[in-house]
Amino acid sequence: MDAQETMLSPTSASSKTTAKPRQGFATSLGAIAATLGSAVGLGNIWKFPYMTGENGGAAFIVVYLLCLFIAGLPVMLSEFVIGRRSQANAVRSFKKLAPGTPWHFVGVAGVTSAVVIMFFYSTVAGWIYAYIFKSAGGALAAVDPAQTPAVFDALTASPVTPLLWQWVVLAVVGTVIIAGVQNGIERVAKTVLPILFLLLLVCDIRALTLSGAGAGVNFLFRPDFSKLTPGMFLAALGLSFFKMSVCMGVMTTYGSYMGPEDNLPSSMLKVALSDTLVSIMAGLAIFPAVFAFGYQPDAGPSLLFITIPMVFNSMPLGQLFLTLFFLLAAIAATGAMISLMEVPVAYLSEEKDWPRTKATLVSVLTVALFGMLGTFSTSILSHVKVWGMTFFDFFDFSTSSILMPMAGIAISIFAGWVLGKKVIVDEASNHGQLKNQTFLSILSFILKYITPIAVTIVLLSGLGLIKL
Ligand code: PHE
């Protein structure tokens, strides 16, 4: 059977398959919930608001939506197609669709990125867990807001507390993963996502009913296009990848858990819309309050741990709302971590034929081990530099600025040119059953010609090789 034939008829693919029956998501809604659980994360609660704040508000959101359309969504659909058609993990999927070619290195890059991202994502998730208890216990309710940065500095400068919280995060994630795709990932996503929505809504209502909230709403919804810069475009493009959890094998793995009747493009749009809604709701919980109390919207990454506690503590019932806010941030971060962890677990259990529990333990322990370098980057290892960066920054940079854009370019070329429009339309229309061919043709065109070029520009400029 040649490569082309394999691509077109995955069910008859001759590549070796694992003896174990493969479990996927039980329902279409469950698949959407799990995917949304991955998409909603620190990207919504932390990156999206601070980047919007730094880049002039609504104009950035418009640019972000455009980037979603030319990069995030086409790559997401490609990964769904690659995963579902091959019914295999992030690496084997490429081996099945393009046997005997080096394309599976894209999968290897994805698994590597997923693992390396966890080295620092689990650190930040640990800080968030710690902040739930700090806010509930009143440690952040300092009368003098000037104390808020000191609380963050004290937490991150300690080598012990953040490490213990990182381990708590990993234990929670490991437990969900061991429970399985249906009983763990799918069930948890269906349970916690409505809670997250509700908590966010409560925080929104609190923020929007503050006097002076209008300035924050204007900031979010009134675009000032005079603020547009090429740098903003690059940031938005990167964010669209990060938000949609693409280029790390996550969506390929989740695609492989989707059933033959699932409507891939419609699931993708539902996830993207809900994810954007959650980001905007997070912005609505934050900016009206920031403006109402006279703080600056462009605090950058410290927005979450410094500005937000200061702002929330300035308002009535602040301690309660701050606790709820960190609780929802913890739910979001944990959901994203779960999807990242599933990538190496699916890979190890299928390729090495390990039981799921063993694959999970090995993955969790690896992240715990190297994740220490991330956690210690603000304390005992703060002086150690790799390419002039702390380990934490290095893990972030090597994935977000190098591995992920490279994988993004490769995936779009693979989908647009190697699989081609025919396979994409066939798979994503459920072999012609769904009448979405026009939409798919547009996406295939974008994938083939626009995404690889746009992402190459992002990669080169991220590396400082071109200046826009
Ligand atoms: N999409 C997640 C977020 O917004 C991050 C993430 C990236 C999760 C990659 C999984 C994979 O935080």
Side-chain angles (χ1 to χ4, degrees), residues 38-44 121 242-245 248 250 336 339-340:
S38 169
V40 170
L42 296 179
N44 304 62
Y121 207 92
F242 188 81
K243 286 297 322 103
M244 293 296 102
S245 307
M248 290 163 246
V250 171
S339 70
L340 286 167

Side-chain angles (χ1 to χ4, degrees), residues 353-438:
D353 215 6
W354 285 355
R356 203 172 160 82
T357 314
K358 180 173 172 192
T360 309
L361 287 179
V362 169
S363 306
V364 165
L365 288 177
T366 306
V367 176
L369 193 67
F370 291 95
M372 277 193 220
L373 298 174
T375 303
F376 292 156
S377 291
T378 48
S379 53
I380 46 179
L381 295 184
S382 61
H383 59 285
V384 181
K385 299 276 156 49
V386 191
W387 282 354
M389 290 171 258
T390 60
F391 280 111
F392 185 104
D393 292 336
F394 174 72
F395 295 148
D396 187 3
F397 176 80
S398 59
T399 50
S400 315
S401 303
I402 303 179
L403 277 177
M404 281 170 57
M406 276 169 60
I409 297 166
I411 292 170
S412 48
I413 293 178
F414 182 76
W417 296 84
V418 180
L419 290 182
K421 180 172 149 188
K422 203 166 154 202
V423 173
I424 294 180
V425 173
D426 177 62
E427 185 64 38
S429 69
N430 296 355
H431 315 295
Q433 272 177 31
L434 306 168
K435 296 294 159 232
N436 52 8
Q437 278 79 359
T438 313

Side-chain angles (χ1 to χ4, degrees), residues 244-322:
M244 293 296 102
S245 307
V246 291
C247 306
M248 290 163 246
V250 171
M251 291 302 159
T252 312
T253 308
Y254 277 19
S256 77
Y257 296 151
M258 291 181 187
E261 298 300 319
D262 282 1
N263 185 335
L264 302 183
S266 140
S267 304
M268 170 190 88
L269 288 176
K270 283 179 187 146
V271 169
L273 267 179
S274 319
D275 179 80
T276 307
L277 180 68
V278 171
S279 305
I280 290 179
M281 282 172 77
L284 280 177
I286 298 169
F287 292 115
V290 167
F291 280 92
F293 294 104
Y295 289 101
Q296 288 307 315
D298 57 353
S302 65
L303 184 71
L304 182 59
F305 295 102
I306 296 176
T307 313
I308 290 176
M310 283 192 201
V311 169
F312 277 60
N313 279 324
S314 316
M315 67 198 193
L317 293 182
Q319 192 172 334
L320 171 70
F321 286 102
L322 188 60

Side-chain angles (χ1 to χ4, degrees), residues 169-296:
V169 172
L170 289 172
V172 172
V173 170
T175 310
V176 176
I177 295 283
I178 287 178
V181 176
Q182 285 177 13
N183 286 334
I185 304 176
E186 185 172 348
R187 194 156 55 169
V188 168
K190 281 208 281 200
T191 318
V192 301
L193 279 175
I195 302 177
L196 185 144
F197 247 78
L198 207 70
L199 289 176
L200 202 48
L201 199 63
V202 171
C203 291
D204 278 351
I205 293 172
R206 169 67 280 193
L208 290 172
T209 47
L210 292 167
S211 71
V217 179
N218 273 346
F219 178 74
L220 267 182
F221 291 119
R222 260 215 216 127
D224 173 1
F225 288 111
S226 68
K227 298 228 167 75
L228 285 184
T229 61
M232 215 165 127
F233 177 75
L234 300 179
L237 203 78
L239 185 65
S240 83
F241 274 177
F242 188 81
K243 286 297 322 103
M244 293 296 102
S245 307
V246 291
C247 306
M248 290 163 246
V250 171
M251 291 302 159
T252 312
T253 308
Y254 277 19
S256 77
Y257 296 151
M258 291 181 187
E261 298 300 319
D262 282 1
N263 185 335
L264 302 183
S266 140
S267 304
M268 170 190 88
L269 288 176
K270 283 179 187 146
V271 169
L273 267 179
S274 319
D275 179 80
T276 307
L277 180 68
V278 171
S279 305
I280 290 179
M281 282 172 77
L284 280 177
I286 298 169
F287 292 115
V290 167
F291 280 92
F293 294 104
Y295 289 101
Q296 288 307 315

